[in-house]
Amino acid sequence: MKKSNKTKALIMAGLLGLSLTACGGSAQSETTAAATTAAEAGGETGAAEDSQGAGEETKAEASQGEKADGQTYTVGICQLVQHDALDAATKGFMDALTEELGDAVTFDEQNAQGDSNTCSTIINGFVSADVDLILANATPALQAAQAGTNEIPILGTSVTEYGVALGIDDFDGTVGGNISGTSDLAPLKDQVAMLHELFPDAKNVGLLYCSAEANSQYQVDTVKAALEELGYTCEYYSFSDSNDLSAVATKASTESDVIYVPTDNTVAANTEIVNNICQPAGIPVIAGEEGICAGCGVATLSISYYDLGVGTGRMAAKILTGEADIAEMPIEYAPQFTKKYNKALCEDLGVQIPEDYVAIEE
């Protein structure tokens, strides 16, 4: 079969050469080259047929190897709720990972609109889609991701305390397994010192937070103990969801000289409710982060959530490219904290701010 094909190819090339002889040496030369090519093609026909299956197999292997070679990745992002802090963390993450991997990474960004059950639904979708990495933005998103998979790498961000969030006793800073991430934990004792610096004559401090957020409970417990050492009387004002926030905030404003709000996602998404109650009542709020402070607080010792997201994105790049093992990556913390204040609200409430505070940009 192979010999017959080759012979036919040579005969056809020879006849073609005779018909074109009158066209000159150049055409004859081109014809000779064409004959040689045709002969070679004829001789290779059988080999191509024999290796067709192997060729298809090689293509399949190349397609499977594309991800292993670090060319394309899909990252699922589950964000608990939309507010300034979490939005900034997500943006920082995406910007950093895009800077590291360029077009090789695509994002499936989804928002749970404050519903923990929706977080679980989103995570299950990511698991079914077999994404390469999951970003869990906020504690309920991280908890849903932990429950959803023990194989896909999970990075948390905007999570205050991983030991509390994940139920790890004697947490040493490294989660292990398929989870790591970044923490937005501010120095709580420094926040207490800020409250004392601005309101040394206050007596009663209300601790306003969502009881459904484990890390909010951790923060107010820590702050309460530190404030009581300074002689303040502290009272918990917890609410289960945003539907209860107005009533609880109203009670807190009538019974407190100052209110403290931790890095609480429910408050962060509803600062207008708190401000509309506390500002007319003349009750100042010390906030756990800048977004809450901009909405209803007078001062905060806060991190940059965008920078926190950037740090998380760089961790993700190392995991996806195989440069680092997530099981061995310790939780990373914000590198710096800044004293900031809400200029308009401070002026309205007559709060005197020291010179080392930075005004929040409007």
Side-chain angles (χ1 to χ4, degrees), residues 51-124:
S51 63
Q52 181 177 6
E56 291 176 352
E57 183 178 347
T58 301
K59 288 180 181 179
E61 290 174 353
S63 176
Q64 293 174 355
E66 185 175 71
K67 186 177 293 182
D69 292 338
Q71 295 184 11
T72 60
Y73 304 97
T74 301
V75 174
I77 298 175
C78 178
Q79 181 174 318
L80 173 64
V81 66
Q82 184 176 4
H83 64 69
D84 290 347
L86 300 191
D87 291 350
T90 293
K91 187 176 189 307
F93 174 82
M94 295 174 68
D95 285 353
L97 195 49
T98 301
E99 181 180 346
E100 294 283 343
L101 300 180
D103 294 337
V105 62
T106 57
F107 300 99
D108 183 355
E109 183 182 358
Q110 299 192 40
N111 194 298
Q113 303 301 325
D115 188 346
S116 298
N117 292 329
T118 303
C119 285
S120 298
T121 301
I122 291 171
I123 295 298
N124 290 338

Side-chain angles (χ1 to χ4, degrees), residues 16-276:
L16 181 61
L18 289 173
S19 66
L20 295 175
T21 301
C23 295
S26 175
Q28 185 174 1
S29 176
E30 290 173 3
T31 302
T32 304
T36 302
T37 302
E40 290 175 348
E44 291 170 357
T45 301
E49 290 173 349
D50 293 339
S51 63
Q52 181 177 6
E56 291 176 352
E57 183 178 347
T58 301
K59 288 180 181 179
E61 290 174 353
S63 176
Q64 293 174 355
E66 185 175 71
K67 186 177 293 182
D69 292 338
Q71 295 184 11
T72 60
Y73 304 97
T74 301
V75 174
I77 298 175
C78 178
Q79 181 174 318
L80 173 64
V81 66
Q82 184 176 4
H83 64 69
D84 290 347
L86 300 191
D87 291 350
T90 293
K91 187 176 189 307
F93 174 82
M94 295 174 68
D95 285 353
L97 195 49
T98 301
E99 181 180 346
E100 294 283 343
L101 300 180
D103 294 337
V105 62
T106 57
F107 300 99
D108 183 355
E109 183 182 358
Q110 299 192 40
N111 194 298
Q113 303 301 325
D115 188 346
S116 298
N117 292 329
T118 303
C119 285
S120 298
T121 301
I122 291 171
I123 295 298
N124 290 338
F126 290 159
V127 174
S128 297
D130 193 26
V131 299
D132 297 291
L133 184 141
I134 294 172
L135 175 71
N137 193 347
T139 298
L142 178 65
Q143 292 169 331
Q146 179 195 37
T149 178
N150 59 6
E151 296 180 357
I152 297 173
I154 300 166
L155 286 176
T157 192
S158 311
V159 176
T160 304
E161 218 290 326
Y162 281 74
V164 172
L166 301 177
I168 303 173
D169 295 329
D170 301 321
F171 180 60
D172 64 0
T174 301
V175 177
N178 65 321
I179 299 176
S180 189
T182 56
S183 169
D184 63 355
L185 179 63
L188 297 177
K189 289 189 176 181
D190 289 347
Q191 289 186 348
V192 168
M194 169 182 283
L195 188 152
H196 184 60
E197 177 183 38
L198 297 178
F199 307 104
D201 298 327
K203 302 298 182 184
N204 301 308
V205 178
L207 306 171
L208 181 66
Y209 68 103
C210 180
S211 58
E213 298 187 35
N215 277 317
S216 292
Q217 185 71 60
Y218 167 79
Q219 290 175 81
V220 295
D221 287 345
T222 304
V223 166
K224 182 175 184 289
L227 285 171
E228 288 177 343
E229 288 182 2
L230 295 174
Y232 292 96
T233 298
C234 299
E235 186 70 32
Y236 291 124
Y237 294 93
S238 65
F239 54 91
S240 58
D241 56 41
S242 59
N243 295 323
D244 301 327
L245 176 56
S246 180
V248 174
T250 298
K251 188 173 191 297
S253 68
T254 61
E255 299 176 353
S256 309
D257 301 316
V258 181
I259 290 176
Y260 172 81
V261 177
T263 55
D264 187 283
N265 290 295
T266 308
V267 174
N270 296 277
T271 56
E272 186 176 358
I273 293 176
V274 177
N275 189 60
N276 288 343

